[in-house]
Amino acid sequence: MAKLLIEGQRKLRGEVSLQGSKNSTLPILAATLLTEGENVIHNCPCLSDIDVAISILRYLGCSATRHGHTLLVDTCNLNDTHIPDSLMREMRSSVIFLGAVLARCGRARISLPGGCELGPRPVDLHLDSLRKMGAVITEHHGEIRAHTPRGLEGARIALAFPSVGATENIIIAASLAKGTTVITNAAREPEIVDLADYLNKCGAMISGAGDGTVVIEGVERLHGAVHNIIPDRIVAATLMSAAAVTGSHIVINDVISAHLGAIIPAFEEAGCRLSVKEGRIDFKAPQKLRSPGLIRTTPYPGFPTDAQPPLMALSLVAEGTTVFVETVFESRYKHIGEFLRMGANIKSEGRVAVVEGVSKLYGSKLKAGDLRGSAALVVAGLAAQGKTEIDTTGYLERGYEELDAVLSSLDGSVRKV
Ligand code: EPZ
């Protein structure tokens, strides 16, 4: 497994382009299963999670080939409805393939998905929703078997929580169902809108994505489409955190600033100056960071849970007290133990963490415990005095395309060994 060596306290400078969004690409790849004909998906990041999705498509008999950041996917030859445990365990979002295989074939067999350990991550909302649409689902020893005796039928589904994955699974399944599906309390994340945009290009009839209520009129068939994946808002937050803790001035290109609505004010509160124009963020950190105040993670349009770890890395060296309240996942503070090794001052209990900014962090040997936590360790390593060595245990590569090379191109000293 790769380790990262970071020489801290070096200023970053220059311009970078933002990678495509992992969390948009994954459901869109699952949704290609509904289509007849070729799909051309541009701006797909090169990540291990995307490789897993490609492996699932190929296992099912589909063709998926990568040409740089473009994926060509043709699912006409799909010949299996079972996704093996080895692939399901690789990532949480493999569960999105359930709705897609079921809608296309009328049956599906998967095992419970894996993914980052962020506390219990049940799939009850996914399964209950598909049941409402007429699926018969049984769970036995971690295996989920589903079939649709009368085909999938449109339904009214009120989600108890605006789950991103459940909303995606329903939108995908409902696109080929008989009749109309209405999801209330749907997730509103930009990745949901991207999925709906892709499916509508394929001939689906989805309205309201990005609002709390999504309406899907089922259609009989869908064709392939050409689609451009949206930029990754969480990678943007990570790069801004890296620039903030090193007192740097950088430019990030290919950004959709509307997706950063709750993120930008947190950086401004910390004293950073951002000028946002035509897909470009000009980011200037202050001499001394201030605490961003209260960071309370909530579903979109609130502050994203995925940006909590890098923002916590920023708060370690910001003057004053920052309070974090993690409302989305039960256990998303694995990075705290590693921050403490670097000399951070943090108290935490349950979903709350209180950070008192310190004047200095010290380079240390660290071990990543999940994807966004590993990115936060990189940010803290850039802020620290001396050398930091991070055992990323493969997490970073799941969501960040060559972060070491990106930061090196900005003059950071980050080396993969
Ligand atoms: C998506 O995960 C993202 N993953 C996550 O990003 C992100 O953190 C999360 O949404 C929240 O924004 C992808 O898009 C691939 P949820 P997902 O269903 O769909 C509970 C990253 O680092 N819940 O909205 O799994 C669940 O336990 C990843 O890129 C149920 O109780 O998130 C959690 O507490 C990590 N029952 C909360 O809802 C269910 O059936 C949010 O989960 C489903 C979810």
Side-chain angles (χ1 to χ4, degrees), residues 28 31-32 35 39 41 194-202 225 227:
I28 286 175
T32 61
T35 64
N39 290 278
I41 317 288
D194 207 23
L195 171 66
D197 284 349
Y198 160 72
L199 280 167
N200 283 339
K201 282 182 196 163
C202 298
H227 187 73

Side-chain angles (χ1 to χ4, degrees), residues 19-22 25 42-52 54 66-71 229 232 396-403 416:
Q19 70 179 60
S21 160
K22 161 180 85 78
T25 310
H42 296 299
N43 203 27
C44 294
C46 297
L47 302 168
S48 56
D49 270 12
I50 305 298
D51 290 341
V52 175
I54 292 172
R66 183 184 271 289
H67 300 272
H69 288 109
T70 297
L71 285 178
I229 298 287
D232 196 310
L396 197 64
E397 294 77 9
R398 296 180 62 166
Y400 292 85
E401 190 174 287
E402 297 188 341
L403 187 58
K416 196 185 264 181

